[in-house]
C-alpha cells in the first residue's frame, strides 16, 4: 500500500473548496500526509491559494496545462491520470459536485481505481476503506467496502461541523507542467453560470423556493418580488421546472443543485426525497404548505400550514427584510 | 449511424424502499424492475439521433438474465432496434464502484459505433461513472452531463454540458464519442402497444461476460472484487422538532413566524 | 384485489399508469375546468395505440382481447374517465362494423382511425333516447347513393370524429326499419352543433350532429337495410361493458383517495380510519369495487368467447353504475369539507360518475332488459 499520503485534488483554486476538502481529510485521516493537487489557470487565484494554505498541507502541486484556460473535463481527466500514473495505489479525494464527479470518474477509469462519489464517513478497517453513500436518491443508505490494495478515488460531501486544520506543516510547493495534449472543440465556450457577485443559489444566505403548490407560473413569479425584499435567491422544485414556470438553473435537488443557505423557505413544495436531498445542508428549513402531512414538515425547523401563495403575499405586504 | 445505448435495470425506487431484499438483489421480481430512470433520456437521445440521421440503435444491458431481458424488451418497445444481454451471473460484485464495469461494457460486440450513450447516473447507486469508464476502456473522448443536443448537417453534434456552476458548449467532430445525457435534456417518449407486442417476440443477443471478445476474466474479477457493497439499509432519520403555525386558524401565523425567526437571528 | 393479472396484463397496466402520470395527471384539472381537451391532447394516446387496443391485428390494431383491454381502460379511467371514453367510443364504433362481417368496410373504417382519428356512434335523437324505435332521421336511396337527413343528439365524440356509425330510418317499420351507415365527416351537409356543457366527464366531447342532404355511397351501408337495430344493439352491448369498466376505474380511484386520506387525516387525536363509521364506509366501498370489477371481468370473458351478454351486460352496467354513486359520494363524505372543494380530487369523481346511470341505455331500461331476458329464460315450452 502506498497510502501514507492522501491526495486532495481540486479543479479550482477556490479557497473555500480547498478548505472544505482539507477538513474532510483532517477529520478522517489525521495521520496521513496531505498533498494538494490543483488545477487553476488564474495566476491571482494560485497566489492567493498559496498564501491561504501555507503550513496547512504537506505539499501542493500546481498542475499547469499549456493551452487550457478553462477546466475542460476531458483534458483535466487526462492530466490528472498522467500525474497519478506513477503513484502506487493512490487514495484520491475531491469535493463532491457534479463537475468534480465527472472528473473523478475519468481519473478512476484511467487509473483502474475504485470510485465512490458523494461519500461520507470514510473509515479504515484493516486494508479496507469503508465509506457511506446514499442509495436510491436518499431512500436508502449504502456502505461500500474498498480494498486499499488498489487505487481509490472518492468525492466527499462537506463536513457538517468545522475542523481545525494543522498550521505547522512545511508546505512544499511545486509547479508541474502537464504534458497532456490539449484537444478541444474549436468552437468551445465555457461559461460560469453563477458568479460570486450576483446573488444566486450558491452564495445566497436566504433562499425562497417554490413548488407546484404555487399553482401557476404567475404564482411562482411572485417569489421574485419576495426574493428582492428579503435579499434572497429564488429556487424551484422539479415539477415547477418541468411545467416551464422556472428555468432549470433554479432547480434544487437530485436533478438540480445542492445548496447550503442559512435559511431555506419551501413554498408549496411537498418534499420528495429527490428534492430534499438538495437542501440537506441548509441550516434552517421553513416549510409552507397547505397539506399538513406533506413530508417537507418532517424536515422543517419551522412550518406554516396554509396556502403558500397567501403566505408569500403577506410576507411581501409586510416587507419582511433580511 | 450506429448508436449504442447502455441501460441498467434498477428496482423501482418505490418498491426498493419498502423491500430491502429487492433493493439488495437477494430477491428478484420482474415486475419491480424498471429501466434506470436516468437511462430513459439516454434512450430518447439515441432514438432522436437515429431519427435525425437514420441508423440503428442497439441497447446493451449488463445484469441478471431476468433483469436484462425485462428492460431490453422495454427499450425495444420504445423503438430501440436491437438488444444485447450481458449476463453477469458469474460476477457477483461487478458494481458501478469498480472500473471493471466499463471494461466489460465496452466489449459489447457492436461494429462501427458512432456514439455510445449512457444516462447521467444510476438511480439505485447514484453513481455517474459508466460513461467515463467506457470512454477510458475504448480510449475515446467523453462528454458528460449533456443537457442540449444540436444536430449539425455533417452529422457532428453541438453539445452543451451543464454542471453545478458552469456549462460547456462545443461541436464535437471526433467519433466514436461517449455521451452521458442529463435527465433534463429531453422528454422520453412512451412505449407503444404495437412495439410492445413485437418486443415480446423479439430475439435478444445473449453473452456471458466470459463470451465477450478479448476479455481477461481473471483480471476483471480481481479488479471488480476490490469494491463491494457491504450494507444497504434505511437511513436513520433524525427526528426534528418543528415549530408549527397554522394559517387556517391563526391569522397572525406569518408575522409570528417572522418574529420567531428574527428572535433566533435566523432572519 | 381478487383479479389475478398475467405478467403481460400487469405490464400493460403499468404502461398506461405511466401514461396517466405523465400525460394526464398534470392536466386533468385544467381540462375539466375548461370542459374540453385541447387540440393534440390525444396525440400521445394515438402514438401509444390506445384507440386500437381491442382492434384485431388484420385491421391494424393491437389485437388484445376484451378482458385485457378492459383492465387497461380501468387504469386509464382512474386518471380520467372522460378521456378514456373518448378512446373507447372510437373502437366500439369500429367493432360494431366488424361484427356485421363486411371486412372491406371494416378495413376502410380502421384505416381512417388507425393513424390517429376518432370515430363516433350515433343513435340518439331529441325524441329518441331510450326508445330507438322512435328514430326519425332518414336515409333515402337515390341510385348508388343514400341521402341522409336528420339530427343526432348527445353524440360522444360528435365534434372529434372523422367518421360516424349512424343509425337512420330506411323504412317505417319500427326497429326493423332502421339501417346503419358509415358516414365520413368530410361529406357535404354535415354540421356539428351544440357542445354539451356537462356536469361530469367533461374531457369527453358530447355534441349534436346535423345531417342535411348528406350523400354517401350505397356501399357505406353496414350490413343490409334493416340491420340498424342489430348494429346498435351490438354496439351498445360492448359499450355498456366498457363504460362499466370505466366506472370501476372511477370507484377504485375514489377508494384509493379515501383510504389514503383517512389514514392521514387526524381528528380527536387519531387518524379517522380508526373510527368505526369511517371503517364501515371504506369496507362497503371496497366490497362494491371488488364486486363490480368481477362482474365486468366476467362480462368481458363472455364477450371474448362470443357469448351474448344481453342480460349480463345490462346487469353489469346497472349494478356498477348504481354502486359507483354510493362509492364516490362516500369518498366525498370521508373527505368532509374538503370533499366538496375542487382543490381535492373526489368531487370530480362524483360528478363524473352520475351519467353512468343514464347513458348507453338508462338503468331503468337495463332493468327492463334483464327482466325480459329472465322472462324468456323461464318460459315454459
Amino acid at each position: 500500500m502506498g497510502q501514507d499520503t492522501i491526495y486532495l485534488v481540486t479543479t479550482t483554486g477556490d479557497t473555500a473548496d480547498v478548505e472544505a476538502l482539507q477538513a474532510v481529510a483532517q477529520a478522517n485521516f489525521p495521520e496521513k500526509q496531505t498533498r494538494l493537487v490543483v488545477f487553476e489557470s488564474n495566476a491571482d487565484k494560485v497566489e492567493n491559494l498559496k498564501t491561504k494554505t501555507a503550513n496547512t498541507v504537506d505539499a501542493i502541486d500546481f498542475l499547469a496545462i499549456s493551452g487550457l484556460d478553462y477546466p475542460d473535463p476531458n483534458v483535466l481527466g487526462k492530466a490528472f491520470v498522467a500525474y497519478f500514473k506513477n503513484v502506487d495505489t493512490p487514495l484520491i479525494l475531491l469535493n463532491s459536485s457534479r463537475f468534480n464527479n465527472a472528473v473523478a470518474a475519468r481519473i478512476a477509469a484511467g487509473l483502474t481505481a475504485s470510485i465512490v462519489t458523494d461519500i461520507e464517513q470514510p473509515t479504515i478497517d484493516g486494508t479496507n476503506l469503508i465509506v457511506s453513500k446514499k442509495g436510491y436518491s436518499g431512500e436508502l443508505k449504502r456502505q461500500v467496502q474498498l480494498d486499499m490494495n488498489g487505487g481509490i478515488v472518492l468525492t466527499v460531501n462537506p463536513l457538517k461541523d468545522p475542523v481545525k486544520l494543522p498550521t505547522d506543516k512545511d508546505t512544499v510547493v511545486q509547479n508541474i507542467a502537464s504534458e497532456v495534449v490539449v484537444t478541444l472543440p474549436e468552437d468551445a465556450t465555457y461559461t460560469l453560470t453563477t458568479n460570486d457577485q450576483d446573488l444566486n443559489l450558491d452564495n445566497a444566505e436566504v433562499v425562497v423556493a417554490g413548488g407546484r403548490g404555487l399553482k401557476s407560473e404567475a404564482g411562482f413569479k411572485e417569489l421574485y418580488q419576495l426574493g428582492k425584499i428579503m435579499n434572497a435567491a429564488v429556487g424551484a422544485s422539479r415539477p415547477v421546472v418541468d411545467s416551464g414556470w422556472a428555468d432549470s438553473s433554479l432547480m434544487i435537488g437530485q436533478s438540480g443543485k445542492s445548496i447550503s443557505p442559512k435559511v431555506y423557505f419551501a413554498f408549496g413544495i411537498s418534499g420528495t426525497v429527490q428534492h430534499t436531498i438538495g437542501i440537506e445542508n441548509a441550516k434552517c428549513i421553513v416549510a409552507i404548505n397547505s397539506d399538513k402531512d406533506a413530508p417537507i414538515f418532517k424536515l422543517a425547523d419551522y412550518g406554516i400550514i396554509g396556502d403558500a401563495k397567501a403566505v408569500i403575499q403577506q410576507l411581501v405586504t409586510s416587507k419582511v427584510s433580511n | 449511424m450506429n448508436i449504442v445505448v447502455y441501460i441498467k435495470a434498477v428496482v423501482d425506487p418505490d418498491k426498493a424502499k419498502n423491500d430491502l431484499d429487492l433493493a439488495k438483489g437477494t430477491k428478484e421480481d420482474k415486475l419491480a424492475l424498471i429501466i434506470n430512470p436516468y437511462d430513459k433520456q439516454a434512450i430518447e437521445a439515441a432514438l432522436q439521433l437515429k431519427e435525425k440521421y437514420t441508423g440503428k440503435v442497439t441497447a446493451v444491458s449488463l445484469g441478471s438474465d431476468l433483469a436484462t431481458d425485462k428492460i431490453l424488451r422495454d427499450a425495444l418497445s420504445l423503438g430501440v432496434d436491437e438488444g444485447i444481454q450481458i449476463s453477469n451471473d458469474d460476477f457477483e460484485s461487478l458494481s458501478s464502484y469498480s472500473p471493471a464495469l466499463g471494461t466489460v461494457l465496452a466489449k459489447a460486440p457492436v461494429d462501427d459505433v458512432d456514439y455510445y450513450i449512457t444516462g447521467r447516473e444510476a438511480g439505485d447507486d447514484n453513481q455517474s461513472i459508466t460513461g467515463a469508464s467506457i470512454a477510458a476502456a475504448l480510449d475515446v473522448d467523453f462528454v458528460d452531463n449533456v443537457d442540449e443536443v444540436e444536430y449539425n448537417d455533417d452529422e457532428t453534434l453541438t453539445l452543451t454540458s451543464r454542471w453545478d456552476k458552469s456549462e460547456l458548449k462545443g461541436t464535437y467532430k471526433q467519433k466514436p464519442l461517449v455521451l452521458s445525457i442529463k435527465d433534463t435534456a429531453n422528454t422520453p417518449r412512451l412505449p407503444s402497444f404495437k412495439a410492445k407486442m413485437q418486443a415480446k417476440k423479439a430475439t435478444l443477443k445473449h453473452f456471458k461476460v466470459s463470451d465477450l471478445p478479448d476479455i481477461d476474466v481473471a483480471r476483471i474479477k480481481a479488479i471488480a472484487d476490490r469494491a463491494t457493497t457491504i450494507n444497504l439499509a434505511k437511513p436513520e432519520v433524525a427526528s426534528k422538532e418543528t415549530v408549527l403555525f397554522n394559517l387556517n386558524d391563526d391569522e397572525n401565523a406569518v408575522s409570528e413566524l417572522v418574529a420567531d425567526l428574527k428572535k433566533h437571528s435566523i432572519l | 384485489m381478487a383479479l389475478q393479472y398475467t405478467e403481460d396484463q400487469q405490464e400493460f397496466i403499468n404502461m398506461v399508469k405511466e401514461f396517466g402520470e405523465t400525460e394526464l395527471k398534470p392536466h386533468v384539472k385544467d381540462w375539466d375546468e375548461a370542459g374540453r381537451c385541447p387540440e393534440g391532447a390525444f396525440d400521445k394516446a394515438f402514438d401509444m395505440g390506445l384507440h386500437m387496443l381491442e382492434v384485431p391485428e388484420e385491421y391494424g390494431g393491437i389485437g388484445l382481447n376484451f378482458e385485457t383491454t378492459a383492465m387497461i381502460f380501468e387504469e386509464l379511467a382512474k386518471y380520467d374517465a372522460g378521456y378514456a371514453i373518448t378512446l373507447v367510443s372510437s373502437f366500439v364504433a369500429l367493432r360494431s362494423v366488424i361484427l356485421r362481417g363486411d371486412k372491406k368496410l371494416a378495413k376502410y373504417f380502421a384505416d381512417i382511425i388507425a393513424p390517429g382519428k376518432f370515430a363516433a356512434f350515433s343513435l340518439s335523437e331529441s325524441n329518441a333516447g331510450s326508445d330507438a324505435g322512435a328514430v326519425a332521421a332518414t336515409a333515402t336511396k337515390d341510385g348508388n347513393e343514400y341521402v341522409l337527413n336528420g339530427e343526432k343528439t348527445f353524440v360522444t365524440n360528435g365534434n372529434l370524429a372523422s367518421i360516424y356509425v349512424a343509425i337512420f330510418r330506411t323504412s317505417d317499420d319500427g326497429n326493423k326499419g332502421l339501417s346503419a351507415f358509415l358516414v365520413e365527416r368530410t361529406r357535404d351537409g354535415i354540421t356539428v352543433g351544440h357542445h354539451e356543457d356537462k356536469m361530469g366527464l367533461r374531457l369527453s366531447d358530447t355534441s349534436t350532429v346535423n345531417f342535411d342532404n348528406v350523400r354517401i355511397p350505397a356501399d357505406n351501408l353496414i350490413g343490409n337495410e334493416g340491420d340498424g337495430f342489430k348494429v346498435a344493439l351490438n354496439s351498445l352491448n360492448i359499450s355498456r361493458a366498457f363504460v362499466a369498466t370505466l366506472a370501476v376505474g372511477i370507484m377504485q380511484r375514489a377508494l384509493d383517495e379515501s383510504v389514503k386520506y383517512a389514514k392521514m387525516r387526524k381528528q380527536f387525536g387519531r387518524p379517522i380510519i380508526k373510527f368505526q363509521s369511517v371503517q364501515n364506509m371504506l369496507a362497503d366501498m371496497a366490497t362494491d369495487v371488488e364486486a363490480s370489477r368481477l362482474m365486468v371481468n366476467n362480462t368481458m370473458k363472455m364477450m371474448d368467447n362470443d357469448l351474448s351478454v344481453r342480460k349480463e351486460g345490462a346487469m353489469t352496467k346497472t349494478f356498477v353504475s348504481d354502486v359507483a354513486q354510493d362509492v364516490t359520494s362516500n369518498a366525498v363524505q370521508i373527505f368532509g369539507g374538503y370533499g366538496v372543494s375542487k382543490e381535492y380530487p373526489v368531487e370530480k369523481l362524483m360528478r363524473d360518475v352520475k351519467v353512468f346511470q343514464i347513458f348507453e341505455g338508462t338503468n331503468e331500461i337495463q332493468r327492463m332488459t334483464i327482466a325480459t331476458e329472465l322472462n324468456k329464460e323461464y318460459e315454459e315450452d
Side-chain angles (χ1 to χ4, degrees):
Chain A
M1 270 187 297
Q3 287 146 347
D4 302 331
T5 300
I6 185 158
Y7 291 85
L8 308 180
V9 167
T10 151
T11 54
T12 72
D14 192 85
T15 49
D17 283 356
V18 173
E19 277 168 20
L21 191 54
Q22 283 181 278
V24 173
Q26 180 63 28
N28 295 292
F29 308 101
E31 74 290 355
K32 286 191 189 294
Q33 305 256 310
T34 50
R35 193 171 193 104
L36 200 55
V37 189
V38 184
F39 170 78
E40 174 56 69
S41 56
N42 180 316
D44 292 344
K45 280 193 166 178
V46 167
E47 283 314 310
N48 187 31
L49 188 63
K50 269 187 203 164
T51 322
K52 283 273 170 63
T53 50
N55 308 115
T56 65
V57 286
D58 295 286
I60 310 182
D61 291 337
F62 286 101
L63 212 54
I65 307 170
S66 86
L68 186 72
D69 45 16
Y70 68 86
D72 177 83
N74 273 334
V75 178
L76 275 189
K78 285 175 190 166
F80 284 121
V81 168
Y83 173 93
F84 285 109
K85 210 74 203 182
N86 297 318
V87 181
D88 185 30
T89 64
L91 174 57
I92 302 167
L93 263 54
L94 294 87
N95 282 318
S96 58
S97 73
R98 199 153 289 163
F99 183 81
N100 279 352
N101 289 358
V103 172
R106 287 170 169 88
I107 300 173
L111 299 175
T112 328
S114 301
I115 173 164
V116 191
T117 54
D118 306 290
I119 65 116
E120 284 165 3
Q121 301 161 330
T123 52
I124 293 176
D125 177 20
T127 62
N128 289 320
L129 184 66
I130 295 170
V131 300
S132 292
K133 84 165 280 178
K134 294 196 169 66
Y136 291 96
S137 307
E139 299 282 8
L140 299 176
K141 192 173 166 182
R142 191 187 289 272
Q143 278 188 308
V144 182
Q145 176 179 291
L146 304 165
D147 185 343
M148 294 172 83
N149 290 309
I152 294 172
V153 180
L154 303 171
T155 70
V156 296
N157 289 346
L159 294 179
K160 296 234 157 48
D161 304 310
V163 169
K164 208 168 147 39
L165 295 177
T167 50
D168 55 351
K169 298 208 174 193
D170 283 331
T171 308
V172 180
V173 180
Q174 286 189 89
N175 292 309
I176 296 178
S178 176
E179 302 199 335
V180 67
V181 183
V182 176
T183 50
L184 296 170
E186 287 157 24
D187 61 344
T189 49
Y190 182 83
T191 325
L192 284 172
T193 44
T194 60
N195 69 58
D196 301 342
Q197 277 77 49
D198 299 342
L199 193 64
N200 61 54
L201 285 174
D202 294 301
N203 64 14
E205 289 205 329
V206 182
V207 170
V208 291
R212 217 183 246 154
L214 296 180
K215 303 273 159 62
S216 65
E217 184 168 357
F220 182 82
K221 294 260 144 87
E222 312 235 329
L223 278 179
Y224 290 101
Q225 207 188 342
L226 181 62
K228 227 176 210 165
I229 294 169
M230 295 181 76
N231 195 30
V234 174
S237 70
R238 173 142 197 181
V240 160
V241 173
D242 284 346
S243 307
W245 302 349
D247 187 71
S248 67
S249 63
L250 300 189
M251 198 198 301
I252 294 164
Q254 180 74 17
S255 299
K257 281 175 180 293
S258 287
I259 56 169
S260 47
K262 208 169 128 194
V263 53
Y264 177 75
F265 286 84
F267 292 98
I269 294 177
S270 67
T272 60
V273 181
Q274 287 75 10
H275 178 75
T276 57
I277 200 164
I279 55 167
E280 282 180 337
N281 293 320
K283 309 286 175 299
C284 174
I285 295 171
V286 184
I288 298 96
N289 207 300
S290 55
D291 175 2
K292 73 175 168 46
D293 296 284
I296 189 87
F297 284 119
K298 293 206 176 86
L299 232 76
D301 301 273
Y302 291 88
I304 293 183
I305 300 162
D307 179 42
K309 268 165 48 176
V311 174
I312 293 175
Q313 272 311 320
Q314 287 197 32
L315 286 170
V316 169
T317 323
S318 64
K319 296 222 181 295
V320 183
S321 56
N322 184 9
Chain B
M1 177 177 285
N2 283 324
I3 305 141
V4 168
V5 58
Y6 292 98
I7 59 175
K8 180 181 186 181
V10 301
V11 179
D12 184 337
D14 289 333
K15 291 178 178 151
K17 69 179 175 191
N18 295 321
D19 189 340
L20 282 176
D21 289 331
L22 279 178
K24 286 175 181 164
T26 47
K27 183 170 96 184
E28 249 188 341
D29 171 5
K30 189 174 160 188
L31 287 170
L33 290 165
I34 57 169
I35 297 176
N36 167 33
Y38 295 89
D39 290 344
K40 292 215 164 161
Q41 280 82 9
I43 293 173
E44 181 62 31
L47 294 172
Q48 287 184 11
L49 265 175
K50 168 184 144 175
E51 285 158 3
K52 199 78 197 171
Y53 298 126
T54 72
K56 182 178 165 191
V57 178
T58 306
V60 175
S61 186
L62 171 74
S64 76
D65 287 346
L66 179 89
T68 54
D69 184 272
K70 164 74 164 61
I71 65 152
L72 284 170
R73 287 182 199 283
D74 285 351
L76 293 179
S77 67
L78 290 166
V80 164
D81 300 294
E82 194 171 73
I84 297 182
Q85 294 177 278
I86 303 178
S87 168
N88 74 347
D89 290 348
D90 47 353
F91 271 87
E92 234 172 82
S93 63
L94 198 50
S95 69
S96 65
Y97 311 108
S98 168
L101 179 70
T103 315
V104 171
L105 289 174
K107 301 272 186 205
V110 187
D111 294 330
D112 304 323
V113 177
D114 295 281
Y115 294 105
Y116 295 90
I117 302 181
T118 73
R120 193 195 85 209
E121 67 180 80
D124 54 355
D125 53 41
N126 299 110
Q127 291 268 87
S128 30
I129 67 119
T130 311
S133 69
I134 290 165
L138 294 166
D139 193 25
V140 301
D141 276 332
F142 170 45
V143 187
D144 63 76
N145 282 279
V146 173
D147 202 21
E148 259 177 68
V149 182
E150 289 166 40
Y151 306 91
N152 304 318
D153 289 340
D154 60 354
E155 298 204 356
T156 63
L157 301 177
T158 302
L159 304 168
T160 307
S161 296
R162 291 206 172 91
W163 301 283
D164 329 58
K165 297 176 186 178
S166 55
E167 65 175 49
L168 176 60
K169 180 176 180 177
T171 303
Y172 294 82
K173 295 186 172 149
Q174 61 268 50
K175 284 181 198 167
L177 191 62
V178 180
L179 312 178
S180 88
I181 305 290
K182 266 189 90 169
D183 56 330
T184 45
N186 57 43
T187 308
R189 66 196 65 191
L190 293 164
S192 80
F193 277 90
K194 195 156 253 174
K196 180 93 190 164
M197 302 304 276
Q198 282 160 0
K200 286 182 179 304
K201 295 176 220 143
T203 312
L204 302 171
K205 288 190 182 167
H206 182 276
F207 298 90
K208 283 193 286 191
V209 172
S210 50
D211 293 338
L212 295 171
D214 309 317
I215 201 150
D216 183 345
V217 175
R219 179 162 180 273
I220 285 172
K221 253 192 194 328
I223 296 169
D225 286 343
R226 296 205 310 248
T228 44
T229 290
I230 52 171
N231 191 26
L232 185 64
K234 287 217 166 208
E236 61 278 24
V237 187
S239 65
K240 229 174 189 179
E241 279 293 309
T242 308
V243 181
L244 262 189
F245 301 90
N246 194 332
L247 192 62
N248 300 320
D249 45 44
D250 173 10
E251 59 182 26
N252 297 320
V254 176
S255 48
E256 284 163 27
L257 168 79
V258 172
D260 215 345
L261 290 174
K262 291 209 158 147
K263 192 173 105 194
H264 292 93
S265 332
I266 296 164
L267 273 184
Chain C
M1 67 199 78
L3 284 192
Q4 297 299 308
Y5 299 110
T6 65
E7 211 170 82
D8 282 357
Q9 286 166 342
Q10 189 59 57
E11 279 196 49
F12 295 152
I13 291 168
N14 290 347
M15 279 168 75
V16 172
K17 197 189 204 73
E18 190 182 2
F19 175 85
E21 290 292 325
T22 57
E23 301 301 322
L24 295 182
K25 204 176 181 179
H27 308 297
V28 162
K29 195 166 179 294
D30 291 344
W31 296 352
D32 178 65
E33 231 165 75
R36 64 180 72 211
C37 291
E39 190 84 17
F42 287 89
D43 288 356
K44 293 213 171 157
F46 291 140
D47 288 347
M48 213 175 170
L50 284 173
H51 63 313
M52 299 292 280
L53 291 184
E54 178 278 324
V55 177
E57 284 175 275
E58 58 176 311
Y59 298 107
I62 311 298
L64 299 181
N65 60 15
F66 286 115
E67 185 190 10
T68 303
T69 307
M71 290 166 175
I72 294 167
F73 273 95
E74 181 194 321
E75 184 67 27
L76 191 62
K78 285 188 202 167
Y79 294 92
D80 189 86
Y83 189 92
I85 206 167
T86 308
L87 297 159
V88 166
S89 300
S90 263
F91 71 73
V92 169
L94 172 55
R95 174 54 70 172
S96 70
V97 177
I98 293 173
L99 283 175
R100 283 330 292 161
D102 183 343
K103 286 201 173 183
K104 207 176 131 206
L105 200 60
K107 183 80 172 86
Y108 172 69
F109 186 142
D111 287 346
I112 290 175
I113 66 167
K117 294 277 194 282
F118 291 107
F121 177 82
S122 69
L123 170 66
S124 294
E125 298 173 8
S126 53
N127 292 317
S130 296
D131 179 10
V135 162
T138 56
T140 318
K141 188 121 189 221
D142 180 18
N144 273 334
E145 292 181 322
Y146 281 95
V147 183
L148 311 177
N149 279 294
E151 187 176 71
K152 295 289 176 185
T153 56
F154 294 106
V155 182
T156 304
N157 293 358
N159 191 35
L160 296 174
S162 296
I163 187 155
Y164 303 97
V165 173
I167 308 296
F168 289 87
R169 179 163 297 288
T170 42
S171 77
D172 289 336
D173 195 8
N175 289 343
K176 287 180 191 143
L178 298 177
S179 300
F181 297 91
L182 215 54
V183 191
E184 302 89 338
R185 174 73 174 273
T186 49
R187 299 283 172 196
D188 288 340
I190 297 177
T191 45
V192 177
H194 181 65
H195 164 87
E196 295 295 339
D197 188 10
K198 306 189 294 294
M199 78 183 270
L201 293 189
R202 292 173 58 79
L203 271 62
S204 151
D205 165 61
T206 311
S207 298
T208 301
V209 183
N210 202 289
F211 299 84
D212 180 16
N213 280 317
V214 176
R215 303 186 81 88
I216 55 167
D219 287 349
N220 281 20
L221 173 68
I222 300 165
N224 300 310
E225 279 195 20
D227 283 354
F229 192 65
K230 272 187 259 172
V231 172
L233 285 186
N234 279 332
S235 170
L236 284 168
N237 279 338
I238 302 165
S239 61
R240 269 197 283 275
F242 271 98
V243 298
T245 207
L246 303 186
V248 177
I250 296 176
M251 290 156 84
Q252 182 64 51
R253 172 81 187 280
L255 178 65
D256 291 345
E257 297 288 348
S258 299
V259 178
K260 269 193 280 178
Y261 187 80
K263 284 167 77 96
M264 192 188 86
R265 171 78 176 171
K266 284 191 184 130
Q267 287 291 280
F268 307 103
R270 53 188 181 145
I272 61 170
I273 198 167
K274 300 283 182 197
F275 294 99
Q276 202 172 30
S277 50
V278 174
Q279 289 175 348
N280 285 343
M281 266 195 270
L282 289 173
D284 287 346
M285 289 161 76
T287 308
D288 283 342
V289 177
E290 194 68 35
S292 299
R293 182 177 291 116
L294 290 171
M295 282 183 87
V296 169
N297 186 253
N298 190 57
T299 307
M300 294 293 170
K301 280 180 175 155
M302 288 177 71
M303 285 174 13
D304 281 328
N305 290 306
D306 294 326
L307 298 171
S308 162
V309 294
R310 196 166 152 70
K311 183 180 74 178
E312 290 76 10
M315 290 161 84
T316 302
K317 189 261 185 183
T318 305
F319 178 84
V320 173
S321 60
D322 281 351
V323 298
Q325 309 304 319
D326 297 342
V327 170
T328 53
S329 167
N330 282 341
V332 172
Q333 191 68 26
I334 287 168
F335 270 70
Y338 297 116
V340 296
S341 162
K342 291 204 184 232
E343 294 285 311
Y344 288 80
V346 288
E347 61 83 31
K348 172 176 178 292
L349 302 176
M350 196 173 165
R351 284 190 285 113
D352 280 348
V353 91
K354 176 60 201 173
V355 76
F356 285 77
Q357 289 180 309
I358 300 166
F359 63 9
E360 313 303 318
T362 62
N363 285 8
E364 291 71 24
I365 291 287
Q366 301 311 313
R367 289 187 166 88
M368 283 168 59
T369 304
I370 297 164
T372 309
E373 291 298 307
L374 285 172
N375 191 31
K376 271 195 236 163
E377 278 174 34
Y378 288 82
E379 226 158 61
E380 287 167 40
D381 295 326

